[in-house]
Amino acid sequence: MSDLTGLFNPKSVAIIGASKSPGKIGNVIVKNMINCGYNGKILPVNPRESEIEGLQCYPSVDKIPEPAEMAVLSVPAVKSLEIAEVCGKQGLKYLVVITAGFKETGKEGLELERKLLEICRKYNMRMLGPNCVGLMDTHAPINASFAAGFPLQGEIAFISQSGAMVLSILDWSYKVGLGFSKFISLGNKADLTEADFIADASEDSNTKVILCYIEDVENGPHFLDVARRASRKKPVIILKSGTSQAGAQAASSHTGALAGSDLAYETAFQQSGVIRARNMPELFDLAVAFANQPVPQGDRVAVITNSGGPGIVATDNIEDKNLKMARFTKETVESLRNYLPAESNIYNPVDVLGDAKADRFHFALQTVLADPGVDSAVVLVCPAAVTEPVETARAMAQLKNEFPDKPLFAAMMGGARLEEGARILSESHIPCFTFPEPAITSISGMVSYSRIKNLPAKTNPLSFGDIDLKTVKATFYDVKKDNRLVLLGSEAAEVISAYGIPAAPTVLALNPDQAVAHADRLGYPVVLKIASPKILHKTDVGGVKVGLDSREKISSGFMEIMDNVHRYLPHVAVYGVEVQKMMPRGVEIIIGMTRDIQFGPLLAFGLGGIYVNLLKDVSFRLVNGLTESEINSMIAETKAYTLLRGYRGEKPADIDAVLKIMGRVARLAADFPEINEIDINPVFAYNQGASALDVKITIS
Ligand code: COA
């Protein structure tokens, strides 16, 4: 049982603001509660009435002889605080606040909402809303909403941040005969959020698929935790609109600029196992697929068609969606060859030809479904004169029962002539579309879920024994004392070194003599770089000199850099010149971190150097829940990986050393929430080991 079982199964519900007037929200809610078959007590509350819809009406909640367990509020916002207070005193457990006029209206509304939440917290009441349509559960049953009707019973829970979406989907669902277990309108999410309802639906035995429409999440880390656990139990499919706040942050690093606006959500969904729908049709196609079909065992798809063109379209789409065209066994090919006309294509896609009647579709589909190399099948029917759509649909329905473990989809590619066949397929729970693409998108979503289901729900944080927190704290203290948010290169190198990341030794020199002394100690040749927190692109202002192999060159290099910078940027504060040991070249990569407001640190890995923004060969993962195998796949999904493995006869680089740096950067970001961005670009990866050359760290 989840925390919210009582919200969907209260013993009694007070409807505050219940009304006799037809068409008023307070009247619709009373009727909805009666009509849905709710079997607890319905308690209308209205000071001016003694009876509403045949039920006794109470003047206020505290006048109800036996206190209600839940209240639905449908009174104007100004009255809500006072009423909530009475509900709290009466010991109610749940409030569903339909009323609008809270944070969505501005500052005053926000304050009202804050006070309402305060009252709920004081009395330990959980609240849905405010500013919501309410909730429905077809199995409880309960309809504590002002929706125009009640869903058909089914196994899909729909959680929506938009109330209008709830109303539209409900209406549409009658037309297509789609059933739901729950409908939840989240409203302003002052207390209960998407995460609470995802967690609840994941425990609900009447729910097979969880669907969400959200515009944002309330608490990123909590959402990740809940979604990770829920998606191991059942599919969680989310349509997220709008863009994340990360994009609004001015990004001063390469990593920040590359991350873009929606990336944190994309990564969060991917890492937690949420299937992301790109649009409304996709959201519901996936819901229908998961509700009616088994999850495929793998990604190998068979296509049966009576026409070449659609077969090619489907094949292209299968490849686009990272699925595979199944390769049939010899026996399958032999059977198809023996039964089908000689002109048929007996390899995948199987073309049973334009003159195929239902028997050919039946034989071909039965044969490929029996093939151990086929995980799912799509049947494409085009309406030729001899086509038998109804009989073909019936044959498919029969084969669905014969092969209950293999998902089956159809595209009835036409209009009126195929309508009856399409209806039979839908009734037989075979998702049927007009074109192949949505069928294949659905299979692709299901295949990605089959991988997610088997991943561990709990992840162990990356831990390292040799971390020097003290040095990092002291460095940040000094930087803040100096009223800076950007670390100097030498400070940044010190920070990452404290986390066991091999950095090219870098020391700050205030004058040419100091620079020479440092170089004597570090060993020649060295690189000189201007040290200024305001200068991000040092080369552009003549602030870098490489390969200096004598004391003279260092002295003159120091002076030249100072002259250049003063000429280009006369008013910028300069701290001196950094002397860095000149490192041998390796494979140039970037390792970085940018912090998302909602989900926390995002780790980045990719091809480094000056063209990072142009090449955009970068992969990202959230540090929250990051595992070593995720870091491995981050590396593997970039082109930089090809270089690291040794391109065109070059020796392979030390990928393990790169992996360790990434893990340590992730740890550093997790340990110090004040770090906004880290850019290590380039890191040189060698045949043995790796070295961080240029390190930028900004703090908040
Ligand atoms: N306790 C109980 N009932 C009370 C009351 C109290 N303290 N004070 C007033 N009422 C009664 C009213 O007398 C009225 O009953 P009546 O129809 O018999 O006169 C009823 O409660 C409703 O109050 P009323 O002032 O008529 O409000 P309303 O029905 O016009 O509007 C809301 C109330 C909640 C519907 C409205 O404020 C609102 O928020 N509408 C938007 C809802 C919405 O869109 N939500 C988000 C969806 S996404």
Side-chain angles (χ1 to χ4, degrees):
M1 246 182 22
S2 85
D3 271 9
L4 299 183
T5 308
L7 180 67
F8 293 99
N9 301 276
K11 289 187 186 65
S12 51
V13 178
I15 300 163
I16 305 173
S19 174
K20 264 196 155 150
S21 309
K24 280 188 83 164
I25 286 187
N27 181 261
V28 176
I29 299 170
V30 178
K31 282 187 184 147
N32 275 348
M33 285 296 286
I34 297 171
N35 294 339
C36 74
Y38 171 68
N39 44 36
K41 278 195 196 138
I42 307 170
L43 307 160
V45 177
N46 183 324
R48 305 195 315 185
E49 306 290 350
S50 58
E51 171 276 349
I52 290 176
E53 298 296 328
L55 298 168
Q56 183 180 352
C57 184
Y58 299 88
S60 58
V61 178
D62 51 354
K63 296 290 184 301
I64 301 171
E66 205 181 309
E69 196 175 346
M70 173 169 132
V72 185
L73 255 67
S74 175
V75 291
V78 282
K79 296 187 179 173
S80 59
L81 298 188
E82 188 191 324
I83 292 174
E85 187 79 37
V86 180
C87 289
K89 283 193 179 132
Q90 288 298 301
L92 270 77
K93 291 192 185 131
Y94 304 104
L95 285 188
V96 174
V97 184
I98 303 290
T99 311
F102 290 88
K103 102 175 161 191
E104 78 284 2
T105 58
K107 219 168 145 199
E108 274 175 37
L110 179 68
E111 184 56 16
L112 202 61
E113 187 165 311
R114 199 190 55 72
K115 287 184 179 152
L116 183 62
L117 181 62
E118 220 170 71
I119 296 169
C120 290
R121 296 259 196 269
K122 182 163 82 177
Y123 294 106
N124 218 1
M125 284 187 292
R126 299 307 309 264
M127 171 173 51
L128 172 62
N131 187 32
C132 72
V133 169
L135 62 87
M136 295 169 247
D137 186 316
T138 57
H139 296 267
I142 186 169
N143 187 356
S145 82
F146 69 89
F150 194 50
L152 304 171
Q153 200 172 68
E155 297 174 309
I156 302 168
F158 182 45
I159 301 160
S160 173
Q161 192 167 343
S162 151
M165 202 77 95
V166 166
L167 302 174
S168 301
I169 295 304
L170 176 62
D171 200 41
W172 167 81
S173 70
Y174 302 133
K175 197 166 78 179
V176 295
L178 189 63
F180 288 84
S181 53
K182 293 167 192 275
F183 253 102
I184 297 124
S185 160
L186 294 169
N188 291 2
K189 308 194 280 187
D191 176 27
L192 292 169
T193 68
E194 58 286 324
D196 297 300
F197 289 102
I198 291 172
D200 170 75
S202 75
E203 299 283 322
D204 174 29
S205 58
N206 296 314
T207 297
K208 210 169 150 189
V209 189
I210 303 170
L211 287 199
C212 293
Y213 166 79
I214 54 168
E215 283 144 23
D216 54 17
V217 304
E218 280 313 302
N219 176 337
H222 179 55
F223 170 86
L224 282 171
D225 185 42
V226 167
R228 199 175 283 130
R229 277 185 282 130
S231 60
R232 301 312 185 266
K233 292 182 192 152
K234 47 190 86 165
V236 180
I237 310 162
I238 297 187
L239 174 61
K240 148 87 179 66
S241 65
T243 48
S244 106
Q245 306 225 10
Q249 282 179 9
S252 62
S253 67
H254 286 301
T255 310
L258 286 161
S261 57
D262 193 46
L263 190 104
Y265 274 97
E266 184 73 28
T267 316
F269 291 161
Q270 204 184 73
Q271 268 174 270
S272 61
V274 164
I275 302 161
R276 186 170 191 182
R278 300 285 151 191
N279 47 47
M280 291 295 288
E282 207 175 296
L283 183 69
F284 285 94
D285 288 348
L286 281 165
V288 171
F290 278 112
N292 293 305
Q293 294 286 332
V295 174
Q297 298 297 311
D299 56 2
R300 301 161 303 176
V301 187
V303 178
I304 314 279
T305 174
N306 61 343
S307 167
I312 299 170
V313 169
T315 307
D316 286 350
N317 210 238
I318 283 169
E319 273 168 24
D320 280 354
K321 297 280 174 192
N322 291 323
L323 297 168
K324 291 196 185 87
M325 286 297 279
R327 287 169 72 98
F328 301 144
T329 60
K330 257 201 244 149
E331 292 74 27
T332 301
V333 172
E334 219 31 56
S335 288
L336 293 172
R337 180 175 290 128
N338 290 339
Y339 188 91
L340 297 177
E343 304 77 21
S344 305
N345 184 25
I346 48 174
Y347 301 97
N348 203 8
V350 179
D351 187 351
V352 293
L353 303 181
D355 60 350
K357 295 195 172 154
D359 66 310
R360 266 192 226 158
F361 275 104
H362 182 272
F363 181 83
L365 183 58
Q366 189 175 41
T367 309
V368 302
L369 284 175
D371 189 314
V374 171
D375 299 310
S376 59
V378 183
V379 178
L380 313 174
V381 182
C382 296
V386 296
T387 309
E388 297 173 333
V390 170
E391 292 75 5
T392 304
R394 289 207 182 108
M396 287 177 68
Q398 186 199 325
L399 291 170
K400 179 180 190 279
N401 295 332
E402 223 174 282
F403 296 92
D405 298 333
K406 295 204 177 174
L408 180 53
F409 291 78
M412 286 282 183
M413 300 184 57
R417 249 181 65 61
L418 301 178
E419 251 169 34
E420 181 58 9
R423 195 190 56 75
I424 293 171
L425 289 173
S426 295
E427 266 179 23
S428 314
H429 305 294
I430 297 171
C432 176
F433 306 92
T434 311
F435 300 110
E437 288 88 344
I440 289 153
T441 303
S442 301
I443 296 175
S444 162
M446 293 185 98
V447 168
S448 63
Y449 181 65
S450 70
R451 294 185 191 119
I452 292 160
K453 224 173 59 168
N454 301 321
L455 295 173
K458 227 180 128 26
T459 56
N460 296 323
L462 300 161
S463 66
F464 304 93
D466 54 349
I467 277 166
D468 172 11
L469 285 166
K470 261 194 199 155
T471 299
V472 182
K473 278 184 192 158
T475 309
F476 288 165
Y477 178 81
D478 290 344
V479 173
K480 285 175 200 167
K481 221 171 75 184
D482 194 30
N483 277 326
R484 276 187 285 131
L485 296 177
V486 182
L487 274 67
L488 298 177
S490 50
E491 291 165 334
E494 199 174 1
V495 165
I496 65 163
S497 302
Y499 263 65
I501 297 166
T506 310
V507 207
L508 181 67
L510 304 181
N511 52 50
D513 290 347
Q514 273 188 9
V516 168
H518 289 322
D520 283 349
R521 206 165 35 78
L522 295 175
Y524 291 82
V526 296
V527 181
L528 297 186
K529 299 179 192 175
I530 189 72
S532 167
K534 294 275 182 218
I535 303 175
L536 293 175
H537 305 292
K538 300 177 180 114
T539 316
D540 298 355
V541 293
V544 180
K545 296 241 166 253
V546 298
L548 308 180
D549 53 8
S550 69
R551 290 179 169 181
E552 296 69 38
K553 284 182 188 164
I554 290 173
S555 284
S556 61
F558 188 105
M559 300 308 293
E560 252 179 72
I561 284 180
M562 284 298 195
D563 283 351
N564 289 342
V565 172
H566 282 304
R567 203 167 347 108
Y568 279 106
L569 302 164
H571 305 299
V572 160
V574 167
Y575 283 67
V577 169
E578 282 155 7
V579 186
Q580 184 175 67
K581 191 169 166 51
M582 178 99 184
M583 304 301 286
R585 284 195 81 79
V587 178
E588 263 184 276
I589 53 176
I590 177 170
I591 295 173
M593 187 283 299
T594 180
R595 192 172 294 273
D596 181 73
I597 288 175
Q598 200 55 266
F599 294 102
L602 266 164
L603 183 69
F605 168 83
L607 210 55
I610 52 172
Y611 301 123
V612 273
N613 285 350
L614 182 73
L615 299 173
K616 291 193 168 56
D617 176 46
V618 185
S619 60
F620 287 91
R621 291 292 186 284
L622 289 173
V623 166
N624 185 321
L626 188 70
T627 58
E628 204 172 295
S629 91
E630 292 263 18
I631 299 182
N632 261 317
S633 46
M634 272 180 91
I635 300 175
E637 66 199 43
T638 59
K639 294 195 182 79
Y641 183 50
T642 313
L643 293 181
L644 288 174
R645 280 188 306 172
Y647 189 59
R648 298 194 147 199
E650 281 176 26
K651 276 189 181 171
D654 188 345
I655 294 179
D656 201 44
V658 173
L659 195 135
K660 286 203 173 94
I661 297 180
M662 291 166 72
R664 285 168 186 273
V665 169
R667 188 72 256 154
L668 174 64
D671 289 347
F672 289 91
E674 66 256 62
I675 305 181
N676 254 349
E677 288 174 326
I678 303 173
D679 241 5
I680 315 183
N681 182 29
V683 172
F684 278 167
Y686 303 117
N687 184 229
Q688 271 196 336
S691 187
L693 265 79
D694 208 27
V695 190
K696 280 187 201 116
I697 296 180
T698 58
I699 56 173
S700 56

